[in-house]
Amino acid sequence: MAAATALAGCERGSPDGPAVSATGPSGCPAVQARAQAAVTRAERTDIPWNGPTTGPAAVSGRTIVYVAQTMTNPGVAGVAKGLREAAKVIGWNVRVIDGEGTPAGIQAALSEAVALRPSGIVIGGFDPDSTSQQTARATAAGIPLVGWHAVTSPGPSVRPRLFTNVTTDVGEVAAISAQWVVADSRGNAGVVLFTDASIPFAHHKSELIRKGLATCAGVRVLAYENIPIPDTSARTAREVSTLLARFGSRWTHSVAINDLYFADAAPAFRAAGERGTGPPFNIGAGDGDPSAFQRINGGQYQAATVPEPLSLQGWQIADEFNRAFSGRPASGYVAPVHVSTAANSEGTSAWNPSGYQEAYRKIWGR
């Protein structure tokens, strides 16, 4: 990889100064050593099930409405698929209402969901504060709300009121994403960071990533690009072309709060003659959808992802609702952080800890 970086650095012009090299001395030896150790741990694939093993038996005859920020977001769609699979096992009905990525669309979708008077509603990837009137109506109607990436922390939330929020620990995801860059670059990198500042969860994650990168003196953030997720297909390729022209070989790594940025960036990298295997070496700090694994395993403009276990999280949402319906507290489960690369994904298109389906079936008696 270091040799490829050096060669590509010669080929990619840099109007803004000399290239960043990953072949010289580390820009932060102690930080790099800790980062490498953390990444090595996170790349392990033999992760045993460490989630709940006890809980209430399945309650029958329930209907869940999944309100999606946008079903074009592969993470949101992947969780919806997992929830449907789990609901089929329990015998519940699931309806998905797509907010189509706009504030008005999301508010309308949640209003429709509340009007249906379902057993429970999923806040799928958007800020509940942006739908405060609708969430208040749901709460007043006694409809439990479970979030996915709805607020910055996993677990129950009082304001906004959520029975629980299902997500990996955003601090851990941000930290390992930054550590991967430090380790991969040997402490010498020029980084472009892609975020969606309109989603508080995403913006918080990118701010944590930026702080993590700042712990290494040899790593510099060249640009901090705010591209809302619904606009990625229209804007990302154009922005990437501009960044390539501006930074040339100084741009060695990228971090995005969602893998889909690299799906939309790929045409611009390809048109500029960049190698699919980098540089820049790109890591997605979520969500680990199948297309991200395809790019990683095929060497197509993405080197790594910090995947959400999307199927598992759909099953967890079902389990959390079952606990709510049974008058039990939330499980408190938070999935472990993981880094997937071509070397450890073994051609798969997703990552989930082993044993979760069996564990939940046993809890539910299904």
Side-chain angles (χ1 to χ4, degrees), residues 272-355:
E274 303 296 339
R275 289 185 175 89
T277 52
F281 302 99
N282 302 319
I283 182 170
D287 294 316
D289 66 275
S291 68
F293 280 86
Q294 290 173 3
R295 288 189 297 275
I296 290 166
N297 293 326
Q300 292 297 307
Y301 307 103
Q302 187 166 350
T305 183
V306 184
E308 295 288 308
L310 300 175
S311 179
L312 158 64
Q313 289 176 335
W315 283 63
Q316 183 185 350
I317 288 171
D319 183 64
E320 302 293 2
F321 273 124
N322 192 58
R323 293 169 190 270
F325 301 152
S326 303
R328 303 281 289 275
S331 72
Y333 175 62
V334 181
V337 70
H338 180 71
V339 173
S340 291
T341 65
N344 70 356
S345 66
E346 299 178 345
T348 60
S349 60
W351 179 81
N352 291 281
S354 61

Side-chain angles (χ1 to χ4, degrees), residues 32-52:
Q32 182 200 340
R34 291 192 295 271
Q36 185 61 66
V39 170
T40 299
R41 289 192 300 272
E43 288 178 341
R44 288 180 51 200
T45 57
D46 56 338
I47 305 298
W49 174 246
N50 67 338

Side-chain angles (χ1 to χ4, degrees), residues 3 21 44 64 74 82 116 150 243 261 292 349 355:
S21 172
R44 288 180 51 200
I64 306 299
L116 291 171
L243 292 166
Y261 287 90
S349 60

Side-chain angles (χ1 to χ4, degrees), residues 119-259:
S119 309
I121 296 174
V122 181
I123 305 296
F126 60 90
D127 178 14
D129 285 339
S130 68
T131 56
S132 57
Q133 293 181 356
Q134 291 81 5
T135 54
R137 289 202 296 269
T139 300
I143 303 171
L145 302 175
V146 170
W148 180 79
H149 284 204
V151 293
T152 57
S153 300
S157 171
V158 176
R159 293 185 180 179
R161 183 169 293 281
L162 301 175
F163 177 75
T164 195
N165 182 52
V166 175
T167 178
T168 49
D169 186 297
V170 67
E172 293 184 0
V173 172
I176 201 66
S177 302
Q179 288 168 326
W180 183 87
V181 170
V182 173
D184 187 72
S185 68
R186 297 187 67 249
N188 293 281
V191 184
V192 172
L193 181 54
F194 295 95
T195 191
D196 180 348
S198 70
I199 302 175
F201 181 93
H203 184 245
H204 178 60
K205 183 193 294 185
S206 60
E207 284 295 297
L208 292 175
I209 293 169
R210 181 158 66 169
K211 290 179 181 178
L213 295 171
T215 63
C216 179
V219 173
R220 296 179 293 284
V221 175
L222 303 175
Y224 194 8
E225 295 294 310
N226 174 31
I227 303 176
I229 285 175
D231 298 340
T232 55
S233 60
R235 289 183 50 190
T236 304
R238 182 175 66 252
E239 296 294 339
V240 166
S241 296
T242 300
L243 292 166
L244 285 169
R246 179 181 176 188
F247 296 116
S249 56
R250 293 178 63 201
W251 182 5
T252 67
H253 290 75
S254 311
V255 189
I257 54 92
N258 191 298
D259 293 303

